[in-house]
Amino acid sequence: MTHRGSRVLHVGSLARVEGEGALHLAVDGGAVTAARLRIYEPPRFFEAFLRGRGHTEPPDITARVCGICPVAYQLSACAAVEDACGVTVDGSLAELRRLLYCGEWIESQTLHVHLLHAPDFLGRAGAVELARTHRAEVERGLRLKQAGNALVEVLGGRAIHPVNVRLGGFHRTPHPRELAPVRERLRRALDDAWGALRWVAGFDFPDAHADEDLLALAEPGRYAIAGGVPTVVPGTGAGGGGAGGGRADVRTFPVREFAAHVAEEQVPYSTALQSRLDGRRHLTGSLARYAVSGALLSPLALEAAREAGLGDPREGAVCRNPFRSILVRSVEVLYAVEEALRIIDAYEPPPRPYVEVPPRAGTGHGATEAPRGLLYHRYTLDADGTVAEASLVPPTAQNQGAIEEHLRRVAQSRLDAAGPEGADDAELTAWCERAVRNHDPCISCSAHFLDLAVDRR
């Protein structure tokens, strides 16, 4: 529908992003003055109905926040409750948790790379259309995803919403012979991960630059997945430092101080909270992880990153182009496959499948790296273990401010490139949708792109 002074573009519901939302662009004299990602899904109230539950329940309850990244919610909940109760899980149990998380990384990142994001670069409307012209590549992606699903199933009891995770570890730990078939699938998956990376590296990547602060966990000696210390690589904008996009002035803060640095706020046009890191927009996810911990990737993954054109993070290379996030995710898939094989080969069953986590009064904090970025949980427990207060801060909610800025820039670049005639509705819509998908929003936790409204003056 078009009328003088404004234009509203209706975009059909997209299968390649999840949830419900809308984008409002304000254009004044050819300049995009505002971009709002309006999320209108009803609140889900997980934090409210966690209150009053027993301290053993958050891992199973929060897993239902998302069917794509339930492991992230389970293990973040475990970390926070165990912290409140003064319990540390280490040794082979901690390695099994990392192994389970590798499975989620493989299946989730592969889903995004092959079925959600790749069609944008190849001019296809979706995965079905892509399969008609790139059948072998889609089938390879499905094999990779199935390998990740198999790993989650053998450790978690089922591939979706695993049921084997509990405080202190697992209800049951696997015998090495149960991991043997999965290991064989992962060995084959390593070749598929290489093939997928080389395929993606051949895509044409538009120019773009994310100048926000990058926030990810850091863990001594290895690429952080199931825990670590929040670490910030400053942005390249005004006051951000690190003008070259590198690792100058990297800073850290304890997980328990997360809320002191990452402040949530309600915006009037969205049911989802947005976040600021020390008052500034920030970005979490694959680009942030690569900036913070890329130098700690395995030699094979570092070779893959160099071959993909990402540079060598040991020499300070940082990727700040959101369109190239698909490359970083592909490197992370290869790393997760290799890491899973390493853990399986070194696995020795623990004496018990879990350590006891007796309740006590206190507040605990936990953070892990969901495929889409840093996920933070906080729980306050009464002396008998009853949850008195809960807070969940998902990565997509943290990224929304940055996504809006990237949408504004992409829309502006298309308007500028189109010249006096201006970009038509279909072109502007398509580019805005691509800008959203660059960040693989986990919209069970936040939003689905649906309508684009352009207010022109």
Side-chain angles (χ1 to χ4, degrees), residues 137-162:
E137 288 82 0
V138 171
E139 288 181 342
R140 179 177 58 206
L142 291 175
R143 286 197 305 270
L144 267 171
K145 187 180 186 307
Q146 288 165 356
N149 284 349
L151 184 52
V152 173
E153 185 170 3
V154 75
L155 289 173
R158 61 187 187 192
I160 305 298
H161 297 317

Side-chain angles (χ1 to χ4, degrees), residues 10-333:
H10 293 284
V11 182
S13 180
L14 300 177
R16 290 194 283 135
V17 267
E18 177 195 4
E20 296 182 354
L23 171 68
H24 181 270
L25 291 181
V27 181
D28 189 354
V32 180
T33 58
R36 293 177 178 174
L37 187 57
R38 184 172 63 87
I39 298 157
Y40 51 82
E41 285 193 350
R44 303 183 70 200
F45 301 117
F46 269 87
E47 292 161 321
F49 61 69
L50 280 164
R51 294 197 294 269
R53 308 304 291 257
H55 78 300
T56 63
E57 296 184 80
D60 286 325
I61 292 174
T62 60
R64 272 64 182 177
V65 171
C66 181
I68 298 173
C69 46
V71 171
Y73 278 90
Q74 286 184 316
L75 296 188
S76 295
C78 285
V81 175
E82 288 160 5
D83 180 53
C85 297
V87 172
T88 299
V89 176
D90 54 16
S92 57
L93 288 175
E95 285 294 278
L96 279 179
R97 283 181 168 179
R98 185 175 175 89
L99 179 62
L100 176 63
Y101 224 139
C102 284
E104 181 159 281
W105 270 31
I106 295 165
E107 60 89 8
S108 178
Q109 300 281 52
T110 297
L111 169 67
H112 177 73
V113 167
H114 288 81
L115 303 184
L116 307 183
H117 207 185
D120 284 336
F121 295 93
L122 298 168
R124 301 296 181 268
V128 173
E129 293 77 11
L130 185 65
R132 294 192 182 110
T133 57
H134 296 77
R135 183 182 182 91
E137 288 82 0
V138 171
E139 288 181 342
R140 179 177 58 206
L142 291 175
R143 286 197 305 270
L144 267 171
K145 187 180 186 307
Q146 288 165 356
N149 284 349
L151 184 52
V152 173
E153 185 170 3
V154 75
L155 289 173
R158 61 187 187 192
I160 305 298
H161 297 317
V163 293
N164 192 37
V165 174
R166 58 158 291 164
L167 286 185
F170 298 84
H171 291 287
R172 176 184 176 276
T173 52
H175 190 279
R177 64 172 173 268
E178 296 176 80
L179 296 175
V182 181
R183 186 195 183 284
E184 183 59 27
R185 295 186 73 160
L186 290 168
R187 188 189 62 78
R188 295 192 298 268
L190 197 59
D191 292 334
D192 283 337
W194 264 111
L197 177 64
R198 288 168 175 147
W199 175 56
V200 170
F203 292 170
D204 182 25
F205 300 102
D207 290 332
H209 183 80
D211 62 4
E212 291 82 11
D213 293 348
L214 302 176
L215 173 65
L217 298 177
E219 188 176 356
R222 62 182 182 178
Y223 207 75
I225 298 177
V229 176
T231 302
V232 182
V233 175
T236 60
R247 290 176 48 85
D249 302 322
V250 170
R251 66 184 188 276
T252 65
F253 55 85
V255 175
R256 66 179 180 274
E257 295 179 6
F258 185 87
H261 292 272
V262 178
E264 294 184 294
E265 61 183 14
Q266 184 72 63
V267 293
Y269 52 85
S270 176
T271 57
L273 299 176
Q274 294 196 9
S275 301
R276 291 290 187 270
L277 172 61
D278 295 325
R280 295 163 48 84
R281 285 191 305 269
H282 69 287
L283 193 63
T284 187
S286 293
L287 296 184
R289 285 193 294 264
Y290 190 72
V292 168
S293 299
L296 297 174
L297 287 166
S298 66
L300 186 67
L302 286 167
E303 178 187 348
R306 292 192 299 270
E307 183 174 318
L310 290 169
D312 193 333
R314 295 172 301 181
E315 299 174 358
V318 172
C319 178
R320 285 188 173 271
N321 183 343
F323 288 100
R324 292 169 68 86
S325 64
I326 192 172
L327 284 175
V328 181
R329 289 190 179 93
S330 298
V331 170
E332 289 189 329
V333 169

Side-chain angles (χ1 to χ4, degrees), residues 26-33 411-416 419-420 422 455-457:
V27 181
D28 189 354
V32 180
T33 58
Q412 187 66 65
S413 70
R414 301 323 301 172
L415 289 172
D416 292 344
D455 180 11
R456 296 184 183 272
R457 295 182 176 85

